[in-house]
Amino acid sequence: MTQTVAQNGQGSKPASPYNHGEYFGALDGFRGVLALLVAVYHTPWESWFNNTPFMDQGTVLIDLFFVFSGFLMFRLYGDKIHDVGAGRAFMVKRIARLYPIHFVMTMMFLAFALARILAHKIGLSTQEAGEVLPFAAGAPENIWSLLSNLTLTQAMGLHDSLTFNPPSWTISVEFFAYFVFIAMLIWAPPKRAFHFGLIGAGVAGLYVFLASQKPNMDITHDLAFWRCLAGFFTGVIGARIYGIVIKDKSLNSVNSMSYTNILECAALLIYLLFVGYCGGKMQFLVGPVALLFVVVFAQDKGFISRLMMRPVFGYLAKISYSVYMIHVIIAIVFDMFGGRALSRIFGAGWHDTAVWGDLYILPYLLVVIGCAHLSVIYIERPGARLINHIFTRPKLASARQTG
């Protein structure tokens, strides 16, 4: 397979596995780590790690994903989408990337919902106070929420809570953010600093609006689209800043390794402190913090970047989307097993000491990684090929007829 290499003014960057001109190895590595952190964040059993300040405020981890996405989409496609045809081709690629595992996980959660109904009917489990069985009156999991999940509209303000596979809300809002991105590139492509200043003002306005509506950034099913837009276009601004940095020879001349390492350490420390100790309304300042993080680590220069470009983190990046999409159902299974089997073996308070909960996270993550690996091979890749074939077949047939 032929791989392309991008020049950044300081030599060549690593070969891109995506057949584009640029590959941001450190950001890719961080994406894999973030996916695992989100998987830990959603573990329902007691553990010391999940009760640290960093994980307690971990909802803003998601916003870095949005910023990553906006940065990468603008760097890779910002000069390639000029008309509706190019926009359509872009959306086909994104659907092929997002939908296969989303569809499979929606079906798995549907099966899980039906299994809960069956277990209740045969007396295997009883309905607890305040619990609503799936497809019962008032339940969030019903035929309408199933349809919204299948059409990727589940987080567009149609429901009062998350439904079926909880993490898929991000896929829903990012899918529709792509349409805004395409419309911008076709009808109002940003070229000058003034244009990006307007985008920045819009992003700031979105965060101000969200802060007026919510106590913190834990925004999912109702105003999540605006949260995603704010993060995504923060990434677009970051892509513009990065473009200036790598082209400006005066900025590139300041390339001593000690300076670069200090800058990376500072960016990482600021981000960690922000996530861990800035809760409540302070979380709405996530934009500039994530912007600094992305611009610094996109350059792939310092020792932290080189660490994140190691093969192990590259591997985590490749399976990160599957990790993100499948981990909740695995966490549920592990929690059920811990509550039933381990409680019988070690007693009902087996996880009262948080260290046991931390140890329990290790096999959980191993299973998540193993299942994600299989998901990439048997769901993501075949599903992407199928969708690409479906959307390109009419064009091929038309070409044969005219030929």
Side-chain angles (χ1 to χ4, degrees):
M1 179 183 296
T2 302
Q3 294 180 317
T4 56
V5 177
Q7 301 293 324
N8 67 357
Q10 299 296 320
S12 61
K13 296 190 73 172
S16 168
Y18 305 118
N19 292 323
H20 292 293
E22 292 181 295
Y23 173 55
F24 302 93
L27 296 184
D28 220 22
F30 276 116
R31 185 161 56 90
V33 173
L34 283 171
L36 289 184
L37 287 175
V38 172
V40 174
Y41 178 75
H42 286 144
T43 52
W45 59 85
E46 184 73 16
S47 67
W48 173 84
F49 185 69
N50 218 3
N51 282 325
T52 59
F54 181 83
M55 296 305 287
D56 283 343
Q57 309 290 344
T59 183
V60 287
L61 292 173
I62 299 299
D63 297 276
L64 198 54
F65 281 120
F66 292 143
V67 178
F68 281 0
S69 184
F71 177 90
L72 292 171
M73 292 302 103
F74 191 76
R75 288 300 302 177
L76 299 177
Y77 296 101
D79 59 350
K80 295 179 175 65
I81 300 176
H82 305 292
D83 53 40
V84 174
R88 178 186 180 277
F90 171 82
M91 286 306 302
V92 169
K93 290 181 180 179
R94 300 319 299 161
I95 292 171
R97 170 67 173 148
L98 298 179
Y99 201 77
I101 186 64
H102 167 67
F103 176 79
V104 170
M105 292 311 301
T106 301
M107 293 298 101
M108 287 191 67
F109 270 86
L110 173 61
F112 178 60
L114 297 176
R116 284 152 54 200
I117 295 174
L118 177 61
H120 178 69
K121 286 187 175 296
I122 65 177
L124 187 61
S125 65
T126 57
Q127 185 176 359
E128 299 177 359
E131 180 186 359
V132 179
L133 289 173
F135 298 97
E141 294 173 331
N142 53 48
I143 186 64
W144 302 115
S145 60
L146 175 61
L147 291 174
S148 68
N149 273 269
L150 293 175
T151 56
L152 286 173
T153 56
Q154 71 270 27
M156 297 298 289
L158 301 180
H159 307 293
D160 296 328
S161 64
L162 295 175
T163 59
F164 292 95
N165 188 19
S168 68
W169 71 267
T170 61
I171 310 306
S172 168
V173 293
E174 188 166 322
F175 176 75
F176 286 95
Y178 292 146
F179 288 102
V180 179
F181 176 64
I182 292 171
M184 178 191 73
L185 293 181
I186 294 175
W187 290 294
K191 300 294 185 182
R192 301 177 181 178
F194 173 69
H195 300 153
F196 289 91
L198 289 178
I199 294 174
V203 167
L206 285 175
Y207 281 122
V208 170
F209 165 70
L210 292 173
S212 71
Q213 301 295 313
K214 297 289 184 176
N216 53 49
M217 285 292 288
D218 189 14
I219 304 169
T220 55
H221 59 277
D222 46 7
L223 299 176
F225 176 66
W226 308 110
R227 175 186 181 182
C228 175
L229 277 186
F232 188 94
F233 282 94
T234 296
V236 169
I237 296 171
R240 170 65 172 178
I241 295 173
Y242 170 81
I244 295 173
V245 168
I246 64 172
K247 290 179 180 178
D248 192 314
K249 293 182 179 180
S250 63
L251 292 173
N252 266 316
S253 64
V254 187
N255 62 355
S256 70
M257 189 56 64
S258 59
Y259 171 83
T260 302
N261 289 337
I262 291 172
L263 191 60
E264 287 195 349
C265 288
L268 181 59
L269 181 62
I270 290 171
Y271 175 73
L272 294 176
L273 290 175
F274 176 83
V275 174
Y277 296 99
C278 294
K281 296 289 186 180
M282 290 292 291
Q283 290 186 335
F284 294 97
L285 297 175
V286 66
V289 177
L291 179 67
L292 173 66
F293 185 94
V294 169
V295 172
V296 169
F297 285 104
Q299 299 178 61
D300 288 344
K301 291 182 179 179
F303 78 92
I304 297 177
S305 287
R306 292 198 302 274
L307 174 64
M308 299 311 298
M309 292 164 68
R310 301 289 293 177
V312 62
F313 295 110
Y315 169 74
L316 290 178
K318 290 179 181 178
I319 66 170
S320 61
Y321 180 49
S322 279
V323 167
Y324 181 77
M325 290 297 286
I326 72 175
H327 72 268
V328 167
I329 194 72
I330 298 173
I332 291 172
V333 172
F334 265 74
D335 189 49
M336 292 171 61
F337 178 79
R340 302 284 180 113
L342 295 184
S343 294
R344 291 183 179 180
I345 298 172
F346 300 108
W350 69 275
H351 55 61
D352 288 347
T353 303
V355 66
W356 292 109
D358 290 319
L359 292 175
Y360 199 45
I361 287 175
L362 296 178
Y364 158 70
L365 287 180
L366 289 175
V367 172
V368 168
I369 291 171
C371 291
H373 180 88
L374 296 175
S375 170
V376 170
I377 296 173
Y378 296 108
I379 299 175
E380 284 195 43
R381 291 173 183 170
R385 288 194 295 269
L386 176 62
I387 289 175
N388 280 314
H389 176 71
I390 291 172
F391 281 95
T392 59
R393 185 171 52 187
K395 184 184 295 186
L396 293 174
S398 176
R400 291 192 190 100
Q401 289 175 3
T402 57

